[in-house]
Amino acid sequence: MLSSADRAIRVKRVYDAAAPEDGYRVLVDRLWPRGVRKDALGMDEWAKDLAPSTALRRAWHHGDISDEAFRDRYAAELDAVPALASLARRCRAGTVTLLVATRDIGRSHAHVLARELERHAAARVDGAAGRTG
């Protein structure tokens, strides 16, 4: 089993160079990033289902909802997406880098996604550790 030091969820811009420490690279934007050739991105998966819905993304970017409301609504959306469990399993296995095209990754939906992935990965590990067989 990997130690927590060997597992990490990172957030990186698609325009930054790929690095070996990125581990499994996942594009988590619903739309393909401008100016990036599909064969040049160096990603393992495009998980557009894990991006916020178009309506939620627009409301947040236009300032119609607060950051807190966005986080709550996006987390609720993620609970209904089967791909979240699959990516959480990847997170338990090693480093996962979430790729986004936004200029300000500090204010990106990817950080909400990372928190939800950590929560799901930890819940599965805690649940598995509590079993006896």
Side-chain angles (χ1 to χ4, degrees):
M1 177 170 229
L2 293 174
S3 71
S4 60
D6 295 326
R7 293 187 309 247
I9 300 172
R10 300 171 183 205
V11 178
K12 195 171 185 178
R13 293 188 74 220
V14 296
Y15 306 105
D16 296 336
E21 60 271 12
D22 289 347
Y24 191 79
R25 293 170 48 91
V26 184
L27 176 61
V28 293
D29 282 341
R30 190 167 300 278
L31 304 174
W32 189 261
R34 290 181 188 179
V36 177
R37 290 189 350 251
K38 289 187 180 183
D39 63 342
L41 184 53
M43 67 174 187
D44 296 295
E45 178 181 356
W46 182 10
K48 55 183 148 183
D49 291 345
L50 291 176
S53 66
T54 300
L56 181 58
R57 180 182 50 80
R58 283 184 181 153
W60 186 42
H61 284 258
H62 291 147
D64 297 337
I65 60 173
S66 67
D67 289 351
E68 183 178 354
F70 171 77
R71 285 190 301 269
D72 292 345
R73 290 181 192 177
Y74 181 36
E77 283 184 358
L78 286 169
D79 282 339
V81 179
L84 185 68
S86 175
L87 194 53
R89 281 192 296 277
R90 287 263 183 205
C91 293
R92 287 192 299 274
T95 300
V96 171
T97 297
L98 307 176
L99 301 171
V100 294
T102 186
R103 285 188 190 112
D104 182 3
I105 63 170
R107 193 167 183 269
S108 166
H109 70 279
H111 292 287
V112 177
L113 175 56
R115 187 185 71 220
E116 290 302 304
L117 285 167
E118 288 170 354
R119 187 173 65 85
H120 281 322
R124 176 65 181 117
V125 169
D126 292 344
R131 290 188 204 151
T132 59

